[in-house]
């Protein structure tokens, strides 16, 4: 988002694994790379370009989805270190806090029930879960952070969703407050 760095994802093909490559442009210098087999991935840039999250879902030989890992690249640090966070449940949504080092996930269990909202913070040394909330319904599927960060809306949008909204804030001390 701020630097001349492009994240490229190539899908697995025959005996070649899927691959994420961070490339500087216009020089085309390869800055970092990760290879994976039997996975499905989504990329999520942090608004300032400080972090890139590669949401990696393992697939079985039959294509059934398994565990999900969050591979978070620290773009501003030497050699682009990667934090790996294992998420046992199914990830429905991932959203970075605007301009911050925190992010939120909406998850459900394997059966698509027990929705939860999770908040994580990337500290100096590691990524840690700082707050969790059981959501009142399965329809929540989006998180929108305020432009200045800290405050968010968790929403049920699209399709058969009910239009529910949950207003909250993740305070500077990482305490979760539900406002309405």
């Amino acid at each position: 988002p701020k630097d001349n760095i492009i994240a490229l994802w190539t899908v697995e093909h025959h005996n070649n694994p899927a691959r994420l490559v961070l490339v500087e442009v216009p020089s085309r210098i390869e800055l970092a790379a990760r290879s994976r087999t039997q996975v499905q991935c989504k990329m999520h840039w942090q608004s300032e370009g400080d972090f890139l999250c590669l949401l990696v879902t393992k697939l079985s030989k039959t294509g059934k989805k398994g565990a999900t890992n969050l591979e978070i690249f620290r773009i501003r640090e030497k050699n682009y270190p990667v934090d790996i966070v294992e998420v046992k449940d199914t990830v429905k949504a991932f959203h970075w806090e605007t301009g911050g080092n925190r992010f939120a996930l909406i998850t459900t269990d394997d059966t698509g029930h027990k929705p939860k909202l999770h908040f994580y913070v990337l500290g100096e040394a590691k990524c840690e879960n700082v707050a969790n909330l059981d959501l009142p319904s399965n329809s929540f599927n989006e998180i929108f952070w305020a432009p200045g960060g800290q405050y968010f809306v968790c929403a049920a949008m699209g399709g058969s969703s009910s239009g529910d909204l949950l207003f909250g804030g993740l305070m500077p001390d990482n305490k979760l407050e539900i406002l309405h």
Side-chain angles (χ1 to χ4, degrees), residues 50-81:
D50 296 339
F51 307 103
L52 171 68
C53 178
L54 185 64
L55 196 120
V56 181
T57 304
K58 282 283 203 190
L59 300 174
S60 68
K61 298 267 188 207
T62 61
K64 184 180 180 218
K65 292 182 180 183
T68 298
N69 283 344
L70 308 176
E71 297 184 13
I72 302 168
F73 291 77
R74 294 175 181 256
I75 303 298
R76 305 279 178 238
E77 295 181 27
K78 188 177 180 178
N79 298 326
Y80 308 95

Short mmCIF file of all heavy atoms in Angstrom, two decimals, residues 50-81:
data_model
loop_
_atom_site.label_atom_id
_atom_site.label_comp_id
_atom_site.label_asym_id
_atom_site.label_seq_id
_atom_site.Cartn_x
_atom_site.Cartn_y
_atom_site.Cartn_z
N ASP A 50 2.79 -2.07 6.52
CA ASP A 50 3.75 -2.56 7.50
C ASP A 50 3.71 -4.08 7.62
O ASP A 50 4.71 -4.70 7.98
CB ASP A 50 3.46 -1.96 8.89
CG ASP A 50 3.64 -0.46 8.93
OD1 ASP A 50 4.35 0.08 8.05
OD2 ASP A 50 3.07 0.18 9.83
N PHE A 51 2.55 -4.68 7.33
CA PHE A 51 2.38 -6.12 7.48
C PHE A 51 1.57 -6.68 6.30
O PHE A 51 0.73 -5.98 5.74
CB PHE A 51 1.60 -6.45 8.77
CG PHE A 51 2.17 -5.83 10.00
CD1 PHE A 51 1.57 -4.71 10.57
CD2 PHE A 51 3.31 -6.35 10.59
CE1 PHE A 51 2.10 -4.12 11.71
CE2 PHE A 51 3.84 -5.76 11.74
CZ PHE A 51 3.24 -4.65 12.29
N LEU A 52 1.84 -7.93 5.98
CA LEU A 52 1.04 -8.67 5.01
C LEU A 52 0.66 -9.98 5.66
O LEU A 52 1.53 -10.71 6.15
CB LEU A 52 1.83 -8.95 3.73
CG LEU A 52 1.16 -9.90 2.73
CD1 LEU A 52 -0.08 -9.25 2.12
CD2 LEU A 52 2.12 -10.33 1.65
N CYS A 53 -0.64 -10.27 5.71
CA CYS A 53 -1.10 -11.55 6.25
C CYS A 53 -1.47 -12.46 5.10
O CYS A 53 -2.27 -12.11 4.23
CB CYS A 53 -2.30 -11.37 7.16
SG CYS A 53 -2.91 -12.96 7.79
N LEU A 54 -0.86 -13.63 5.08
CA LEU A 54 -1.22 -14.68 4.14
C LEU A 54 -2.06 -15.68 4.92
O LEU A 54 -1.58 -16.33 5.84
CB LEU A 54 0.04 -15.35 3.59
CG LEU A 54 -0.14 -16.40 2.51
CD1 LEU A 54 -0.74 -15.77 1.26
CD2 LEU A 54 1.19 -17.05 2.17
N LEU A 55 -3.36 -15.72 4.62
CA LEU A 55 -4.29 -16.61 5.29
C LEU A 55 -4.25 -17.94 4.54
O LEU A 55 -4.73 -18.02 3.41
CB LEU A 55 -5.69 -15.99 5.25
CG LEU A 55 -6.70 -16.55 6.21
CD1 LEU A 55 -7.17 -15.43 7.12
CD2 LEU A 55 -7.86 -17.10 5.45
N VAL A 56 -3.64 -18.95 5.14
CA VAL A 56 -3.37 -20.23 4.47
C VAL A 56 -4.28 -21.32 5.04
O VAL A 56 -4.19 -21.64 6.22
CB VAL A 56 -1.89 -20.65 4.66
CG1 VAL A 56 -1.60 -21.95 3.95
CG2 VAL A 56 -0.96 -19.55 4.19
N THR A 57 -5.14 -21.89 4.19
CA THR A 57 -6.02 -22.98 4.61
C THR A 57 -5.55 -24.26 3.94
O THR A 57 -5.47 -24.34 2.72
CB THR A 57 -7.48 -22.69 4.23
OG1 THR A 57 -7.86 -21.44 4.81
CG2 THR A 57 -8.41 -23.79 4.74
N LYS A 58 -5.22 -25.25 4.76
CA LYS A 58 -4.79 -26.55 4.24
C LYS A 58 -5.96 -27.26 3.56
O LYS A 58 -7.08 -27.18 4.03
CB LYS A 58 -4.28 -27.45 5.38
CG LYS A 58 -2.90 -27.11 5.83
CD LYS A 58 -1.93 -27.64 4.85
CE LYS A 58 -0.56 -27.86 5.44
NZ LYS A 58 0.38 -28.16 4.40
N LEU A 59 -5.67 -27.97 2.49
CA LEU A 59 -6.67 -28.77 1.78
C LEU A 59 -6.24 -30.22 1.78
O LEU A 59 -5.07 -30.52 1.58
CB LEU A 59 -6.83 -28.28 0.34
CG LEU A 59 -7.26 -26.83 0.12
CD1 LEU A 59 -7.22 -26.50 -1.36
CD2 LEU A 59 -8.65 -26.60 0.67
N SER A 60 -7.21 -31.12 1.96
CA SER A 60 -6.90 -32.55 1.87
C SER A 60 -6.83 -32.94 0.39
O SER A 60 -7.12 -32.13 -0.49
CB SER A 60 -7.98 -33.38 2.58
OG SER A 60 -9.19 -33.29 1.86
N LYS A 61 -6.46 -34.16 0.12
CA LYS A 61 -6.38 -34.64 -1.27
C LYS A 61 -7.72 -34.51 -1.99
O LYS A 61 -7.78 -34.30 -3.19
CB LYS A 61 -5.93 -36.11 -1.31
CG LYS A 61 -4.55 -36.34 -0.73
CD LYS A 61 -3.51 -36.29 -1.78
CE LYS A 61 -2.18 -36.71 -1.18
NZ LYS A 61 -1.07 -36.13 -1.87
N THR A 62 -8.82 -34.61 -1.21
CA THR A 62 -10.15 -34.50 -1.81
C THR A 62 -10.64 -33.05 -1.89
O THR A 62 -11.73 -32.79 -2.36
CB THR A 62 -11.18 -35.32 -0.99
OG1 THR A 62 -11.21 -34.80 0.34
CG2 THR A 62 -10.81 -36.80 -0.97
N GLY A 63 -9.84 -32.10 -1.37
CA GLY A 63 -10.21 -30.70 -1.42
C GLY A 63 -10.94 -30.20 -0.19
O GLY A 63 -11.35 -29.04 -0.14
N LYS A 64 -11.08 -31.06 0.83
CA LYS A 64 -11.75 -30.64 2.07
C LYS A 64 -10.83 -29.70 2.84
O LYS A 64 -9.63 -29.94 2.95
CB LYS A 64 -12.09 -31.86 2.92
CG LYS A 64 -12.88 -31.51 4.15
CD LYS A 64 -13.20 -32.74 4.98
CE LYS A 64 -13.99 -32.30 6.19
NZ LYS A 64 -13.66 -33.02 7.38
N LYS A 65 -11.42 -28.62 3.36
CA LYS A 65 -10.63 -27.62 4.08
C LYS A 65 -10.24 -28.12 5.47
O LYS A 65 -11.02 -28.74 6.16
CB LYS A 65 -11.41 -26.31 4.20
CG LYS A 65 -11.59 -25.62 2.88
CD LYS A 65 -12.31 -24.31 3.03
CE LYS A 65 -12.46 -23.64 1.67
NZ LYS A 65 -13.10 -22.34 1.77
N GLY A 66 -9.01 -27.80 5.85
CA GLY A 66 -8.49 -28.18 7.16
C GLY A 66 -8.13 -26.95 7.98
O GLY A 66 -8.78 -25.92 7.88
N ALA A 67 -7.06 -27.07 8.75
CA ALA A 67 -6.62 -25.99 9.64
C ALA A 67 -6.17 -24.76 8.84
O ALA A 67 -5.75 -24.87 7.69
CB ALA A 67 -5.49 -26.47 10.53
N THR A 68 -6.28 -23.61 9.48
CA THR A 68 -5.86 -22.35 8.86
C THR A 68 -4.70 -21.76 9.65
O THR A 68 -4.73 -21.76 10.89
CB THR A 68 -7.03 -21.35 8.83
OG1 THR A 68 -8.07 -21.89 8.02
CG2 THR A 68 -6.59 -20.01 8.25
N ASN A 69 -3.69 -21.29 8.95
CA ASN A 69 -2.59 -20.56 9.56
C ASN A 69 -2.59 -19.14 9.04
O ASN A 69 -2.85 -18.91 7.85
CB ASN A 69 -1.24 -21.20 9.24
CG ASN A 69 -0.96 -22.45 10.04
OD1 ASN A 69 -1.60 -22.71 11.05
ND2 ASN A 69 0.00 -23.22 9.59
N LEU A 70 -2.26 -18.21 9.91
CA LEU A 70 -2.02 -16.83 9.51
C LEU A 70 -0.52 -16.66 9.47
O LEU A 70 0.16 -16.84 10.47
CB LEU A 70 -2.62 -15.86 10.53
CG LEU A 70 -4.08 -16.06 10.92
CD1 LEU A 70 -4.47 -15.07 12.00
CD2 LEU A 70 -4.98 -15.91 9.71
N GLU A 71 0.01 -16.37 8.29
CA GLU A 71 1.45 -16.13 8.14
C GLU A 71 1.60 -14.63 7.94
O GLU A 71 1.23 -14.09 6.91
CB GLU A 71 2.01 -16.92 6.96
CG GLU A 71 1.89 -18.41 7.17
CD GLU A 71 2.53 -19.23 6.07
OE1 GLU A 71 3.29 -18.67 5.25
OE2 GLU A 71 2.27 -20.44 6.04
N ILE A 72 2.11 -13.96 8.96
CA ILE A 72 2.17 -12.50 8.96
C ILE A 72 3.60 -12.03 8.73
O ILE A 72 4.48 -12.25 9.55
CB ILE A 72 1.60 -11.93 10.27
CG1 ILE A 72 0.15 -12.43 10.43
CG2 ILE A 72 1.68 -10.42 10.28
CD1 ILE A 72 -0.44 -12.20 11.77
N PHE A 73 3.78 -11.40 7.58
CA PHE A 73 5.09 -10.88 7.19
C PHE A 73 5.26 -9.49 7.77
O PHE A 73 4.42 -8.62 7.59
CB PHE A 73 5.20 -10.80 5.66
CG PHE A 73 5.25 -12.13 4.99
CD1 PHE A 73 4.08 -12.88 4.81
CD2 PHE A 73 6.45 -12.65 4.51
CE1 PHE A 73 4.12 -14.11 4.20
CE2 PHE A 73 6.48 -13.88 3.89
CZ PHE A 73 5.32 -14.62 3.73
N ARG A 74 6.39 -9.26 8.43
CA ARG A 74 6.73 -7.94 8.99
C ARG A 74 7.58 -7.22 7.94
O ARG A 74 8.79 -7.40 7.87
CB ARG A 74 7.47 -8.10 10.31
CG ARG A 74 6.60 -8.71 11.40
CD ARG A 74 7.41 -8.95 12.67
NE ARG A 74 6.60 -9.55 13.71
CZ ARG A 74 6.13 -8.89 14.76
NH1 ARG A 74 6.39 -7.62 14.91
NH2 ARG A 74 5.40 -9.51 15.67
N ILE A 75 6.93 -6.42 7.13
CA ILE A 75 7.55 -5.80 5.96
C ILE A 75 8.65 -4.81 6.33
O ILE A 75 9.61 -4.65 5.61
CB ILE A 75 6.47 -5.12 5.08
CG1 ILE A 75 5.40 -6.13 4.65
CG2 ILE A 75 7.08 -4.41 3.88
CD1 ILE A 75 5.91 -7.29 3.80
N ARG A 76 8.55 -4.13 7.46
CA ARG A 76 9.52 -3.10 7.85
C ARG A 76 10.77 -3.66 8.53
O ARG A 76 11.68 -2.92 8.84
CB ARG A 76 8.87 -2.08 8.78
CG ARG A 76 7.63 -1.45 8.23
CD ARG A 76 7.94 -0.32 7.27
NE ARG A 76 6.69 0.21 6.73
CZ ARG A 76 6.42 0.24 5.45
NH1 ARG A 76 7.29 -0.19 4.57
NH2 ARG A 76 5.27 0.72 5.02
N GLU A 77 10.79 -4.97 8.79
CA GLU A 77 11.93 -5.55 9.50
C GLU A 77 12.86 -6.28 8.54
O GLU A 77 12.44 -6.77 7.50
CB GLU A 77 11.44 -6.49 10.60
CG GLU A 77 10.68 -5.74 11.69
CD GLU A 77 10.20 -6.65 12.81
OE1 GLU A 77 10.83 -7.71 13.05
OE2 GLU A 77 9.19 -6.31 13.43
N LYS A 78 14.13 -6.36 8.94
CA LYS A 78 15.14 -7.00 8.11
C LYS A 78 14.80 -8.47 7.85
O LYS A 78 14.38 -9.19 8.76
CB LYS A 78 16.50 -6.91 8.82
CG LYS A 78 17.66 -7.37 7.99
CD LYS A 78 18.96 -7.19 8.72
CE LYS A 78 20.09 -7.69 7.83
NZ LYS A 78 21.38 -7.49 8.46
N ASN A 79 14.96 -8.90 6.62
CA ASN A 79 14.70 -10.28 6.17
C ASN A 79 13.23 -10.69 6.27
O ASN A 79 12.92 -11.87 6.19
CB ASN A 79 15.59 -11.28 6.90
CG ASN A 79 17.05 -11.04 6.63
OD1 ASN A 79 17.42 -10.62 5.53
ND2 ASN A 79 17.89 -11.28 7.63
N TYR A 80 12.32 -9.74 6.49
CA TYR A 80 10.88 -10.00 6.48
C TYR A 80 10.49 -11.20 7.35
O TYR A 80 9.99 -12.21 6.85
CB TYR A 80 10.37 -10.19 5.05
CG TYR A 80 10.77 -9.06 4.15
CD1 TYR A 80 11.91 -9.14 3.35
CD2 TYR A 80 10.04 -7.88 4.13
CE1 TYR A 80 12.30 -8.08 2.56
CE2 TYR A 80 10.43 -6.82 3.34
CZ TYR A 80 11.55 -6.92 2.55
OH TYR A 80 11.94 -5.87 1.77
N PRO A 81 10.72 -11.13 8.67
CA PRO A 81 10.33 -12.26 9.52
C PRO A 81 8.83 -12.53 9.44
O PRO A 81 8.05 -11.62 9.14
CB PRO A 81 10.74 -11.80 10.93
CG PRO A 81 10.84 -10.32 10.84
CD PRO A 81 11.21 -9.99 9.43
#
